[in-house]
């Protein structure tokens, strides 16, 4: 299935998010909260930055999807992440794990492996994070949240992780890779300047959660659509931007203003395996 065959599905997913405005609980890091919330709002979803473990039993049953990002992980936050993930899984609600900088410490790696056991619907990371989480690399091989591997170098690790975890695995990079362990899809939308804005990767993972909320039975397709939409918004934003700061603003505006003609003409998705 090539771009033209995917494009109508991408637009269908985006219109469903706009129509249904799914409630997405985001337990994400301090750096990313603002951009994650604004990305979800501009796409038509409803973000809730609810991270207290005391609120999970009352709040999480009402959400449509959960997003967990370990970027500024502390021992105080881990119980909230686990409790929300366990409740979401128990209630059949999709949830996304973003194992940011997973191999930078033993604490973080152990926490992420424990979260993987709670069966996320999607695991989204950069090449180095996915390689580390799949057991293909040792601790200390990532440069913080930056990747030292291209996404295409992580295809086999992503397939292995997908098969072992039961999750769809998404690898962000110059070409975004999405796999369920069998199919491998490449999303060629996006722009390099997006890497110069903190929290774009976190925001993408939050957007994946919103798309999963409207199509939980097709996690691969929903993930591919979210990644393409975010990439297209980045491309449009860069055409108007003078640098990373103005790209951030134009990215949000472009996501909000996406129309059918633009989406259908700009989707770049290929089958890689």
């Amino acid at each position: 299935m090539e771009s033209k065959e995917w494009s109508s599905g991408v637009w269908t997913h985006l219109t469903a998010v706009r129509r249904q405005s799914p409630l997405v609980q985001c337990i994400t890091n301090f750096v990313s909260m603002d951009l994650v919330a604004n990305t979800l709002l501009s796409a038509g979803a409803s973000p809730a930055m609810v991270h207290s473990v005391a609120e999970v039993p009352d709040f999480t049953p009402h959400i449509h999807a959960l997003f967990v990002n370990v970027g500024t992980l502390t021992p105080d936050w881990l119980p909230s992440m686990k409790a929300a993930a366990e409740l979401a899984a128990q209630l059949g609600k999709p949830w996304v794990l973003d194992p940011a900088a997973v191999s930078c410490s033993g604490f973080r790696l152990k926490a992420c492996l424990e979260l993987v056991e709670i069966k996320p619907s999607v695991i989204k990371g950069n090449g180095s994070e996915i390689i580390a989480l799949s057991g293909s690399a040792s601790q200390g091989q990532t440069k913080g949240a930056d990747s030292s591997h291209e996404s295409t170098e992580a295809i086999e690790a992503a397939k292995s992780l997908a098969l072992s975890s039961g999750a769809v695995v998404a690898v962000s990079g110059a070409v975004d890779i999405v796999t369920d362990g069998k199919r491998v899809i490449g999303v060629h939308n996006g722009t390099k300047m997006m890497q110069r804005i903190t929290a774009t990767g976190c925001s993408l993972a939050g957007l994946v959660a919103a798309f999963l909320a409207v199509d939980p039975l097709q996690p691969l397709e929903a993930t591919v659509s979210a990644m393409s939409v975010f990439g297209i918004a980045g491309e449009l934003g860069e055409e108007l931007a003078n640098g990373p700061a103005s790209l951030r603003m134009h990215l949000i505006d472009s996501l909000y203003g996406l129309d059918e003609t633009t989406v259908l003409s700009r989707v770049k998705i290929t089958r890689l395996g």
Side-chain angles (χ1 to χ4, degrees), residues 9-10 18 41 82 105 135 168 179 189 202 239:
V10 174
R18 289 171 170 174
L41 285 168
K82 286 183 175 178
S105 73
V168 165
T179 181
N189 293 110
C202 315
E239 291 170 9

Side-chain angles (χ1 to χ4, degrees), residues 97-99 123-127 129-130 169-173:
L97 172 63
D98 188 339
I123 301 168
K124 180 261 153 203
N126 61 38
E129 290 160 353
I130 296 304
V169 176
V171 192
S172 55

Side-chain angles (χ1 to χ4, degrees), residues 8-180:
S8 60
V10 174
W11 176 245
T12 298
H13 281 124
L14 179 57
T15 53
V17 170
R18 289 171 170 174
R19 186 177 65 252
Q20 297 176 32
S21 191
L23 178 61
V24 182
Q25 181 180 359
C26 304
I27 306 180
T28 189
N29 65 75
F30 292 118
V31 181
S32 74
M33 285 184 185
D34 172 75
L35 189 56
V36 170
N38 281 303
T39 295
L40 286 169
L41 285 168
S42 63
S46 178
M49 317 319 265
V50 175
H51 63 260
S52 169
V53 69
E55 291 190 294
V56 166
D58 291 335
F59 185 79
T60 303
H62 301 288
I63 67 171
H64 299 107
L66 169 70
F67 163 49
V68 173
N69 175 291
V70 300
T72 50
L73 186 65
T74 69
D76 293 339
W77 279 46
L78 189 53
S80 302
M81 294 173 174
K82 286 183 175 178
E86 285 169 355
L87 191 49
Q90 179 187 323
L91 296 173
K93 298 174 188 289
W95 76 278
V96 177
L97 172 63
D98 188 339
V102 59
S103 65
C104 74
S105 73
F107 165 65
R108 189 175 295 248
L109 179 58
K110 182 172 181 285
C112 287
L113 290 172
E114 290 171 359
L115 286 164
V116 169
E117 289 178 9
I118 310 174
K119 298 293 180 188
S121 310
V122 174
I123 301 168
K124 180 261 153 203
N126 61 38
S128 294
E129 290 160 353
I130 296 304
I131 287 169
L133 200 56
S134 73
S136 308
S138 59
Q139 183 182 318
Q141 284 192 314
T142 59
K143 189 178 78 173
D146 295 331
S147 183
S148 53
H149 296 86
E150 294 294 332
S151 57
T152 48
E153 295 177 70
I155 289 176
E156 291 308 314
K159 288 169 70 176
S160 173
L161 180 59
L163 291 171
S164 65
S165 66
V168 165
V169 176
V171 192
S172 55
V175 177
D176 295 324
I177 306 295
V178 185
T179 181
D180 56 7

